[in-house]
Amino acid sequence: MKISIINGPNLNLLGQREPGIYGNQTFDAFFLELQAKFPQITFDYFQSNIEGELIDRLQQVGFSSDGIILNAAAYTHTSVGMGDAIKAIDTPVIEVHISNTFAREDFRHTSYITPNAKGLILGFGMDSYRLAVQSFL
Ligand code: DQA
C-alpha cells in the first residue's frame, strides 16, 4: 500500500511554530516514527508553502497512491482550488489537522477540503496522521 502525505503552509516549521498548539516535534522526526510503526506501507511526503505546488502534488499522486493524508493548513480555509483538485483525482483523501480547528477562531471552522474528503481527523496532535493511516488499513 502506498500512502502520500501532503502538508501545507507553515508546517515546515513544526517543532518551533507555536509549540503550545502544534507541539515540539519536527515533522521529520515524527515521519521516521510513523514509517517505523507501519513498515508494510510505502510512504511519500511533500510539504509546500505554495498553493499551486500543493495542487500539482495532489494531481501527481492522485492517480497512483492508495491514499492521501492532507493537512492543507491555512489553505484549508481558503482554497477552492485545492477542494477542486481533490474532486478531480481518484485517490481518496483524509483531511487531518493537528489542532482542533473547531475550538479555535471562527475562520478555522470553514474547510474547502472536508466536502470532498473521505474523512476528517483533527485535534489529536501529530497522532491525527497515525489515525489517518490506520483508517486506510
Ligand atoms: C492546522 C490548522 C489550520 O487552521 C492552521 O492554519 C494550520 C495548521 C492544524 O494542523 O491544526 O496551519 O491545519
Side-chain angles (χ1 to χ4, degrees), residues 3 5 25 27-41 43 69 126-134:
I3 293 186
I5 300 179
Q25 195 174 27
F27 197 83
D28 284 349
F30 169 75
F31 190 46
L32 285 175
E33 284 178 14
L34 191 71
Q35 286 171 292
K37 263 185 200 124
F38 298 100
Q40 73 277 36
I41 295 176
F43 288 100
I69 297 172
M126 299 294 252
D127 212 30
S128 295
Y129 292 89
R130 184 192 59 80
L131 292 165
V133 174
Q134 199 64 56

Side-chain angles (χ1 to χ4, degrees), residues 3 22 24 27 68:
I3 293 186
Y22 300 114
N24 295 304
F27 197 83
I68 295 174

Side-chain angles (χ1 to χ4, degrees), residues 9 11 17 22 71-74 76-77 96-99 101 104 108:
L11 294 174
R17 170 194 185 199
Y22 300 114
N71 186 346
T76 304
H77 317 299
V96 301
H97 298 284
I98 298 163
S99 63
T101 49
R104 300 179 64 192
R108 293 184 206 277

